């Protein structure tokens, strides 16, 4: 098969930063092989987060997905109280069953809305509160659904297969099968903060409802966010613990054709389809900050490594087949053959063995550094040019002199001034009349043009 169409979805700030690395790495690699068609339609990017404005850039990660690929769950006028009131009304209109309303909304909503809203400005984020992140997700569920639908429509377009084939040929690889395969979705982010932890499962459920057979989630573990002293923010551990419990619960056996009524009600109220059967990702890949030999100094370093690895996956057909089409696709069978040490799986005769498809992802590569040589040269030349502009006059210090900076600068100006005037055509010193002669010529031309306009009709 040809290169695989991918939909990369970043949830929360960490997911957005990783998407920026994936996209930039792909752009760099495509430019290197001579592809000038931009990011192909077969690779789509969506960043979903609570803040009205994306915060996916940092000092070490300057690349982010375009604004058009950012799905903000709030705007600058949004308040938690208004979101809570709106959802409360939606749920009330969706069903008269008070018990179902309680399960779907009343039993977990952050309450009272006015008090919660006074402490968290949702237009800036969920404030490490996963309940607030979930409320923002549910309020904007239709927006996220439309964004995902647009991405899936794009990867299914007729020209996608040809674009991916051309990229593969430019890279020196011959497609095994020129027909593009089914799209694979990667949902990337952390469940340690309020945003990612609150909306992660909703994104996966929307993808599953649209019939995607491979929804792979990549989750950054709390270890990624520990400080230099080993501590972490107070909400990181509980957010992660509860989110992973929800993921585990969502992967337990759900008969095809059945739904979870309470969760489905929230989608029904938003006019969004809820999946029949499991709503969880098909595989969950956990990524930490290091292994026994390597430990990254900062979270941004983890995002860079993961982003580059996923970009390589998109560009390598053989790697995609091995990791996605075999290793991950067979995860269910591997899990079913394992021993349930917690004794939580169903014991009913003929029942599908319950599983929690948590797995690990590692990545390594050996390179002579060509990937980094181009940006290195650009940085060096840019630095040299800037230093030349700032400090070039200091090179005019002659042996034995100790002139101040300003005098050296004046010397440089005096030396370059004559050539500068000649080159610009602005010399008005002495007998030179560059400016006045040019203005005189322009004035004559204007007079001639005026005569042509006014006299020519009268002479006919």
């Amino acid at each position: 098969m040809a290169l695989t169409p991918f939909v990369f979805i970043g949830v929360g700030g960490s997911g957005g930063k990783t998407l920026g690395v994936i996209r930039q790495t792909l752009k760099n690699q495509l430019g290197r092989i001579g592809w000038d068609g931009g990011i192909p339609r077969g690779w789509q990017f969506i960043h979903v987060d609570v803040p009205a404005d994306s915060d996916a850039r940092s000092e070490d990660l300057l690349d982010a997905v375009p604004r058009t690929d950012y799905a903000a769950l709030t705007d600058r006028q949004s308040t938690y109280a208004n979101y809570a009131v709106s959802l409360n009304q939606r749920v009330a209109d969706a069903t008269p069953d008070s018990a179902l309303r309680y399960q779907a909304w009343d039993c977990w909503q952050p309450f009272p809305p006015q008090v919660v809203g006074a402490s968290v400005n949702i237009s800036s984020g969920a404030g490490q509160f996963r309940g607030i992140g979930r409320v923002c997700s549910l309020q904007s569920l239709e927006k996220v659904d439309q964004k995902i639908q647009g991405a899936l429509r794009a990867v299914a377009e007729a020209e996608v297969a040809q674009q991916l084939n051309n990229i593969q040929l430019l890279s020196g690889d011959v497609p095994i099968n020129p027909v593009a395969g089914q799209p694979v979705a990667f949902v990337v982010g952390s469940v340690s903060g309020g945003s990612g932890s609150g909306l992660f499962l909703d994104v996966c459920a929307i993808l599953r409802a649209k019939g995607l057979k491979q929804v792979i989630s990549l989750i950054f573990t709390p270890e990624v966010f520990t400080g230099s002293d080993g501590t972490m923010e107070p909400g990181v551990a509980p957010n992660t613990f509860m989110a992973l419990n929800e993921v585990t619960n969502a992967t337990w056996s759900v008969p095809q054709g059945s739904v979870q009524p309470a969760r489905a009600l929230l989608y029904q109220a938003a006019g969004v389809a809820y999946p029949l059967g499991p709503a969880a990702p098909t595989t969950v890949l956990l990524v930490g900050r290091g292994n026994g030999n390597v430990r990254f100094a900062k979270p941004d370093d983890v995002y860079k490594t993961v982003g580059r690895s996923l970009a390589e996956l998109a560009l390598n057909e053989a790697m995609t087949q091995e990791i996605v089409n075999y290793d991950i696709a067979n995860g269910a069978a591997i899990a079913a053959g394992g021993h349930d040490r917690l004794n939580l799986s169903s014991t009913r005769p003929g029942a599908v063995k319950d599983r929690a498809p948590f797995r690990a992802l590692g990545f390594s590569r050996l390179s002579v550094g060509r990937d980094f040589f181009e940006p290195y040269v650009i940085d060096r030349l840019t630095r040299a040019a800037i230093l030349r502009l700032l400090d070039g006059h200091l090179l005019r210090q002659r042996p034995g002199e100790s002139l101040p900076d300003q005098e050296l600068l004046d010397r440089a100006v005096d030396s370059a001034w004559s050539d500068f005037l000649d080159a610009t055509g602005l010399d008005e010193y002495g007998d030179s009349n560059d400016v006045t002669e040019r203005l005189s010529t322009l004035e004559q031309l204007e007079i001639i043009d005026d005569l042509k306009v006014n006299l020519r009709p009268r002479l006919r």
Side-chain angles (χ1 to χ4, degrees):
M1 62 185 296
L3 293 178
T4 299
F6 281 95
V7 178
F8 296 105
I9 303 178
V11 294
S14 57
K17 291 175 181 177
T18 307
L19 254 61
V21 177
I22 298 172
R23 194 175 188 279
Q24 190 58 44
T25 302
L26 288 172
K27 283 182 66 177
N28 293 342
Q29 297 280 50
L30 292 174
R32 235 170 252 124
I33 64 175
W35 172 263
D36 57 3
I39 298 294
R41 298 285 287 169
W43 297 332
Q44 292 291 309
F45 298 85
I46 306 172
H47 178 201
V48 186
D49 203 357
V50 171
D53 299 303
S54 172
D55 59 357
R57 284 187 174 90
S58 67
E59 184 178 350
D60 292 333
L61 295 172
L62 300 178
D63 300 307
V65 297
R67 175 73 190 186
T68 52
D69 294 333
Y70 179 55
L73 304 185
T74 64
D75 57 40
R76 294 177 184 177
Q77 285 71 47
S78 299
T79 66
Y80 174 78
N82 287 343
Y83 274 27
V85 169
S86 173
L87 280 171
N88 194 63
Q89 188 61 50
R90 276 194 202 173
V91 173
D93 293 342
T95 180
D97 188 336
S98 59
L100 185 57
R101 287 200 306 268
Y102 177 79
Q103 292 177 1
W105 170 244
D106 294 338
C107 70
W108 67 266
Q109 65 160 308
F111 192 84
Q114 290 75 16
V115 175
V116 176
S119 61
V120 178
N121 176 14
I122 59 173
S123 65
S124 299
Q128 283 281 321
F129 295 103
R130 63 190 306 270
I132 294 178
R134 182 84 203 288
V135 168
C136 294
S137 174
L138 293 173
Q139 176 66 14
S140 304
L141 209 56
E142 184 178 7
K143 179 179 184 178
V144 177
D145 180 76
Q146 291 174 351
K147 203 75 173 176
I148 292 175
Q149 183 60 48
L152 294 177
R153 193 179 298 117
V155 299
E157 291 174 358
E159 68 266 26
V160 164
Q162 188 59 55
Q163 284 185 337
L164 296 180
N165 284 341
N166 290 341
I167 289 171
Q168 199 166 1
L169 290 171
L170 281 172
S171 66
D173 192 11
V174 178
I176 299 172
N177 185 342
V179 179
Q182 293 298 310
V184 174
F186 266 93
V187 182
V188 184
S190 161
V191 291
S192 300
S195 299
S197 183
L199 61 92
F200 167 77
L201 267 181
D202 285 326
V203 170
C204 294
I206 291 173
L207 289 166
R208 295 297 293 270
K210 296 187 181 303
L212 260 72
K213 296 181 178 177
Q214 293 188 14
V215 178
I216 304 161
S217 66
L218 192 151
I219 296 176
F220 298 112
T221 64
E223 174 198 12
V224 172
F225 308 100
T226 54
S228 57
D229 58 354
T231 61
M232 63 180 68
E233 293 292 329
V236 169
N239 281 341
T240 304
F241 176 74
M242 294 305 298
L244 293 184
N245 271 282
E246 286 187 348
V247 172
T248 303
N249 176 270
T251 61
W252 285 350
S253 295
V254 178
Q256 291 296 328
S258 67
V259 296
Q260 297 170 315
R263 290 185 69 90
L265 176 66
L266 297 170
Y267 284 66
Q268 174 191 337
V272 175
Y274 191 76
L276 297 176
T282 51
T283 300
V284 181
L285 302 174
L286 301 177
V287 175
R289 195 158 169 173
N291 54 29
N293 300 313
V294 177
R295 180 174 174 81
F296 292 110
K298 299 176 295 185
D300 283 356
D301 295 333
V302 181
Y303 308 148
K304 289 177 185 178
T305 301
V306 170
R308 288 168 185 155
S309 69
L310 293 181
E312 293 287 347
L313 182 68
L315 285 164
N316 192 311
E317 179 185 3
M319 189 188 300
T320 300
Q321 284 194 8
E322 184 168 346
I323 293 180
V324 175
N325 298 341
Y326 175 76
D327 191 48
I328 292 177
N330 291 332
I334 296 170
H339 179 61
D340 179 13
R341 298 182 183 277
L342 295 178
N343 199 30
L344 294 175
S345 296
S346 173
T347 57
R348 302 191 310 274
V352 177
K353 187 170 185 177
D354 289 314
R355 60 187 178 85
F358 295 104
R359 313 188 75 184
L361 175 68
F363 177 76
S364 65
R365 66 191 255 187
L366 181 64
S367 169
V368 295
R370 287 189 304 170
D371 295 353
F372 303 100
F373 183 69
E374 181 182 352
Y376 167 75
V377 170
I378 292 172
D379 289 345
R380 283 298 301 268
L381 292 176
T382 303
R383 175 181 171 83
I386 292 173
L387 289 177
R388 176 70 176 173
L389 290 172
L390 289 175
D391 301 328
H393 60 288
L394 300 179
L395 300 176
R396 295 181 174 273
Q397 191 84 265
R398 295 167 185 154
E401 288 184 337
S402 58
L403 298 177
D405 283 8
Q406 186 59 46
E407 192 166 338
L408 290 170
L409 185 59
D410 292 340
R411 177 184 289 178
V413 171
D414 291 340
S415 174
W417 185 246
S418 177
D419 291 338
F420 171 76
L421 287 177
D422 288 341
T424 58
L426 298 175
D427 190 358
E428 283 286 315
Y429 279 95
D431 295 333
S432 299
N433 295 296
D434 289 351
V435 177
T436 53
E437 287 177 0
R438 181 59 181 157
L439 290 174
S440 176
T441 302
L442 290 174
E443 184 178 355
Q444 292 173 8
L445 290 173
E446 289 176 0
I447 293 172
I448 293 172
D449 289 340
D450 185 58
L451 288 173
K452 289 180 179 178
V453 171
N454 293 299
L455 288 180
R456 183 170 291 171
R458 299 181 184 181
L459 295 175
R460 289 176 179 173

